[in-house]
Amino acid sequence: MAESLTYIAEIFKSVPKKIVISKPTSSAEYIRVVVVKKEKYYQIEKYTEKQVFHENLPADKAEEYCAGLLDGSFRQLNAWTDNKEYALSVSKKGKMLFNSRNAVNECKATTEHNRKKNYILNEGDDIPALRDMGIFTKDGKVAAPMQDKFRQINRFVEIIDDELKNFSDREITVIDFGCGKSYLTFILYHYLTEIRKINVKMTGLDLKKDVVEKCNATAKKYGYENLSFEVGDINGYKTDGGVDMVITLHACDTATDYALYNAVKWNAKMIFSVPCCQHELNSTMSSENFSILTNYGIIKERTAALMTDAIRGNLLECCGYRTQLLEFVDFAHTPKNILIRAVKRGKTKKAEQYLSEVERLCREFSFSPTLLKLLKDDGLV
């Protein structure tokens, strides 16, 4: 690692804009790693066959991380600065070959390619919420400090768009639980009506009266006739009509469970949820067989949070939803980075297995999750 670190230190002195680490060995966890320079850090993109995982590191840590990858996991590294291209390769016998060359055109081409990436929401689109958020400037350009946030919002819209491609109805009813200031609600309304050309009835729900009044005034200002906001609690909220899509972002602790329960009870076709503040299982978690997971506070907290979402995923599967837990860092920069995407498909033969797995986990760790209780009491599992 010492030799690779010497070469990579030279590369980082030139402030690389992009690094691609490739040619994985049989021991590599990923098939490719891409490192991209941001304003204050480097974004690490770790690719598997089906997924990509993100991590942000300061320059010194990114330097060490790249060097570590060439110590047995990968055999090739290419890096681009404003005017140079670097290449570092490792032979099967461990010999390192390092060279550099002037590459002004290549670097510009790479930068231009990144800038022209196709999004669902694009620069110059008339999206009032993005202007009010400061993401778009007055002339419709993405403000320089807002590039990451713009990409993150597009990522969320893409996750929804992936499922709407299979949605044939031209009308859709959407409930957004815990909508808060609702910028994302306004953006989704624009996407559904202006891009997807779907007739939408969308309702945002929040506990704060002043927030709801402001959101209704904003919807009126934007001319969003079928978007309204109501004061209400997720627990006990009722609707007379059918619901096609339920969205819940940052519903704290068990509020996410009540939102998911309502979505299942309404037989919602699609559910998109980013949980937050998962304290419930952490407060009761104990185990004789796996006390190693409960001995250390931070490990216990993170394990309980992951188990919370694993239980939610299984229970949604048990209720007839094809469920995915996706890595997602949203535009509010929450430390929680899992998005639950569930699409109704009908119960499968594995429903009992999903439930059995939840119950075994609950017995082992003394869990009594709210969502399980709500679904059982209503006879939904």
Side-chain angles (χ1 to χ4, degrees):
M1 181 172 174
E3 186 179 4
S4 63
L5 189 56
T6 300
Y7 293 130
I8 290 172
E10 181 178 337
I11 294 172
F12 271 84
K13 283 181 182 178
S14 301
V15 190
K17 303 299 182 184
K18 184 176 181 180
I19 299 171
V20 176
I21 302 171
S22 57
K23 294 187 179 178
T25 65
S26 58
S27 62
E29 184 177 1
Y30 306 102
I31 61 172
R32 184 175 75 258
V33 174
V34 178
V35 181
V36 181
K37 178 73 171 70
K38 301 297 180 181
E39 187 175 356
K40 296 181 180 180
Y41 58 87
Y42 281 89
Q43 183 177 74
I44 315 296
E45 301 172 353
K46 297 171 281 190
Y47 290 83
T48 66
E49 291 288 353
K50 296 182 179 180
Q51 292 177 291
V52 56
F53 300 92
H54 295 88
E55 180 181 3
N56 298 330
L57 295 176
D60 59 336
K61 297 296 183 184
E63 186 177 315
E64 292 177 8
Y65 180 79
C66 291
L69 291 179
L70 290 177
D71 190 26
S73 295
F74 291 87
R75 292 200 176 98
Q76 183 72 36
L77 180 148
N78 295 87
W80 294 265
T81 68
D82 284 333
N83 54 19
K84 277 196 172 184
E85 178 182 351
Y86 294 89
L88 177 59
S89 60
V90 184
S91 71
K92 292 183 179 180
K93 295 183 178 180
K95 183 179 179 181
M96 290 196 171
L97 301 174
F98 179 72
N99 61 71
S100 65
R101 66 188 180 94
N102 293 331
V104 176
N105 292 335
E106 287 88 340
C107 184
K108 285 185 176 180
T110 300
T111 304
E112 187 70 18
H113 173 75
N114 289 339
R115 195 161 49 234
K116 288 185 176 180
K117 179 177 178 180
N118 291 324
Y119 292 117
I120 294 175
L121 310 176
N122 292 292
E123 269 190 335
D125 290 352
D126 183 17
I127 308 176
L130 290 181
R131 289 200 304 270
D132 286 354
M133 290 174 72
I135 292 178
F136 280 0
T137 61
K138 291 181 180 179
D139 59 356
K141 301 293 185 182
V142 179
M146 295 294 182
Q147 293 285 347
D148 284 350
K149 188 174 289 189
F150 180 61
R151 282 192 289 269
Q152 289 157 359
I153 290 173
N154 261 293
R155 173 60 180 148
F156 182 77
V157 174
E158 286 169 1
I159 288 172
I160 292 179
D161 187 69
D162 284 344
E163 293 303 333
L164 277 181
K165 291 173 182 176
N166 303 316
F167 186 78
S168 59
D169 295 354
R170 303 316 302 163
E171 295 185 358
I172 189 170
T173 300
V174 182
I175 301 290
D176 184 355
F177 281 124
C179 58
K181 294 181 180 179
S182 303
Y183 284 118
L184 194 57
T185 314
F186 293 124
I187 292 167
L188 285 175
Y189 186 89
H190 169 89
Y191 155 74
L192 291 167
T193 58
E194 299 300 322
I195 297 176
R196 275 288 170 187
K197 304 298 182 183
I198 298 174
N199 294 323
V200 179
K201 180 183 177 184
M202 185 180 290
T203 303
L205 185 70
D206 200 85
L207 290 170
K208 298 178 181 178
K209 183 179 178 181
D210 58 331
V211 170
V212 168
E213 289 175 349
K214 184 176 180 179
C215 288
N216 277 321
T218 301
K220 185 176 181 180
K221 180 180 77 170
Y222 292 167
Y224 291 172
E225 296 179 356
N226 292 320
L227 173 59
S228 61
F229 298 86
E230 300 177 16
V231 177
D233 191 347
I234 292 174
N235 182 15
Y237 180 78
K238 292 179 173 56
T239 179
D240 295 330
V243 177
D244 298 301
M245 182 188 298
V246 170
I247 299 169
T248 167
L249 306 179
H250 310 140
C252 193
D253 201 15
T254 58
T256 293
D257 298 301
Y258 283 100
L260 297 177
Y261 161 69
N262 279 327
V264 171
K265 188 171 62 172
W266 294 333
N267 205 30
K269 297 174 182 176
M270 290 168 278
I271 303 169
F272 301 92
S273 175
V274 178
C276 183
C277 306
Q278 296 141 302
H279 302 306
E280 183 185 36
L281 300 193
N282 185 43
S283 65
T284 64
M285 184 175 177
S286 64
S287 171
E288 292 183 6
N289 296 318
F290 298 98
S291 58
I292 189 173
L293 297 177
T294 63
N295 288 340
Y296 310 98
I298 190 169
I299 299 298
K300 180 182 177 184
E301 178 185 356
R302 292 181 182 179
T303 301
L306 290 171
M307 288 181 174
T308 298
D309 287 334
I311 288 171
R312 288 165 173 162
N314 259 35
L315 290 175
L316 288 171
E317 288 277 6
C318 188
C319 292
Y321 285 84
R322 173 175 55 82
T323 306
Q324 296 169 289
L325 271 59
L326 307 173
E327 185 187 47
F328 173 73
V329 180
D330 83 338
F331 71 102
H333 302 295
T334 173
K336 300 294 188 293
N337 66 342
I338 287 180
L339 180 144
I340 300 172
R341 178 169 68 186
V343 180
K344 191 70 176 180
R345 65 176 175 187
K347 288 192 175 184
T348 68
K349 295 179 180 179
K350 296 180 67 176
E352 290 186 6
Q353 177 184 329
Y354 289 123
L355 181 59
S356 176
E357 289 172 349
V358 169
E359 291 175 334
R360 288 201 305 272
L361 188 67
C362 290
R363 286 195 298 270
E364 178 61 50
F365 289 94
S366 302
F367 292 151
S368 182
T370 293
L371 183 58
L372 177 60
K373 182 178 186 303
L374 290 169
L375 294 173
K376 278 193 170 183
D377 287 350
D378 218 359
L380 295 171
V381 295

